[in-house]
Amino acid sequence: MCGRFVITSPPAAVRLAFGYAEQPNFPARYNIAPTQPIPVVILDNGARRFRLMRWGLIPSWVKDPRNFSLLINARSETVLDKPAFRNAMKRRRCLVPADGYYEWQSGGKPKQPYFIHPADGVPLGFAGLAETWVGPNGEELDTVAIVTTAASKPMAVLHDRVPVTIAPGDYARWLDCAAVSAEEAAMLLHPPAEGALRWHPVSTAVNRVANDDAQLILPIAVGEPAPIEPPKPAKAAATSRRAVKAASGDEGQGSLF
């Protein structure tokens, strides 16, 4: 699966890698988690566009998101048939830029997190599926899920699932829902080639969503304890979150910046 990922490349490098027209200026993120807004690349009227979408797909037919399970991942084996993803696979395929992601290896207590990143340092393009949920009052929320598939043998030592990474040469085919059918696009849903990714153990500090800094991706010795952090006043934290939401003026869509 994929439950946390990072974007550390400069905005200009991400724009160059994915070829979208916009020039967003966003900071490095080291611990992106579900429900947060994430960068997404779509094809709109023949041109690639940068969008922010909430990580956690909500199908258009859902009446109340509060009663619907969060869909952060979509299994490649069922995207052509499962009602939650079938229409998105046909009409709303997208790419999620990333510079790596985290996976937790079972066998110890707590589970050991690993940082997995491209061997060549080039940003990854996760296969994504998008939906726009429209509420009863006309409010709209763009949402996205990351497609996963069975891990190849070398990576299965960490987890039995991996996010699908679309090769740069296949970006156009994956994004073009008008010219490329869902069945054809499904042929691109395979695990990364052996040797394409590297990984190393990192601190369990990544387990806490509030931690978001470059220390999280540094290699450690397995079993090394996480740094001790001073507790933060709950009231101050809640006030800060409200202030950020009010300042963003995004009506719930969220901001990466």
Side-chain angles (χ1 to χ4, degrees):
M1 63 175 295
C2 178
R4 302 280 181 83
F5 70 96
V6 308
I7 301 176
T8 56
S9 291
V14 179
R15 180 173 182 259
L16 180 63
F18 291 91
Y20 48 77
E22 292 77 13
Q23 300 185 48
N25 184 23
F26 48 85
R29 294 288 311 279
Y30 295 90
N31 200 6
I32 301 173
T35 74
Q36 294 179 351
I38 63 174
V40 173
V41 180
I42 64 170
L43 191 68
D44 183 26
N45 292 323
R48 296 183 191 178
R49 301 294 184 187
F50 175 97
R51 296 287 185 270
L52 285 179
M53 298 187 185
R54 196 197 76 155
W55 186 11
L57 185 141
I58 304 175
S60 58
W61 40 263
V62 170
K63 296 188 181 298
D64 188 349
R66 294 172 297 182
N67 300 324
F68 189 79
S69 299
L70 193 66
L71 300 176
I72 64 169
N73 293 153
R75 295 177 68 91
S76 63
E77 298 88 344
T78 58
V79 290
L80 293 175
D81 305 309
K82 194 169 184 178
F85 305 116
R86 187 169 53 214
N87 287 335
M89 186 64 185
K90 291 179 181 178
R91 303 181 181 92
R92 287 173 289 278
R93 299 189 299 268
C94 59
L95 292 166
V96 178
D99 286 288
Y101 68 101
Y102 298 101
E103 194 54 82
W104 281 257
Q105 186 180 46
S106 301
K109 291 186 178 181
K111 293 181 179 180
Q112 176 61 53
Y114 282 77
F115 177 57
I116 304 167
H117 58 97
D120 60 9
V122 177
L124 301 168
F126 291 154
L129 299 175
E131 279 285 6
T132 298
W133 180 79
V134 181
N137 299 316
E139 65 272 28
E140 294 186 357
L141 181 64
D142 294 328
T143 66
V144 64
I146 294 172
V147 183
T148 68
T149 192
S152 58
K153 188 174 181 179
M155 298 200 68
V157 298
L158 299 181
H159 198 277
D160 61 352
R161 306 290 297 180
V162 293
V164 172
T165 55
I166 303 296
D170 291 324
Y171 285 173
R173 293 176 61 201
W174 175 254
L175 291 172
D176 194 345
C177 299
V180 180
S181 70
E183 290 74 17
E184 291 175 296
M187 297 176 66
L188 302 175
L189 302 179
H190 46 73
E194 292 190 16
L197 299 177
R198 295 177 181 171
W199 54 87
H200 57 256
V202 294
S203 169
T204 54
V206 72
N207 296 354
R208 189 167 183 264
V209 176
N211 294 330
D212 189 353
D213 59 70
Q215 299 294 317
L216 297 181
I217 65 174
L218 296 180
I220 65 163
V222 174
E224 182 178 324
I228 299 176
E229 300 179 29
K232 297 180 180 180
K235 185 175 181 180
T239 301
S240 176
R241 286 193 296 270
R242 287 195 297 269
V244 169
K245 183 176 181 180
S248 68
D250 58 17
E251 299 181 351
Q253 181 66 19
S255 173
L256 183 74
F257 311 126

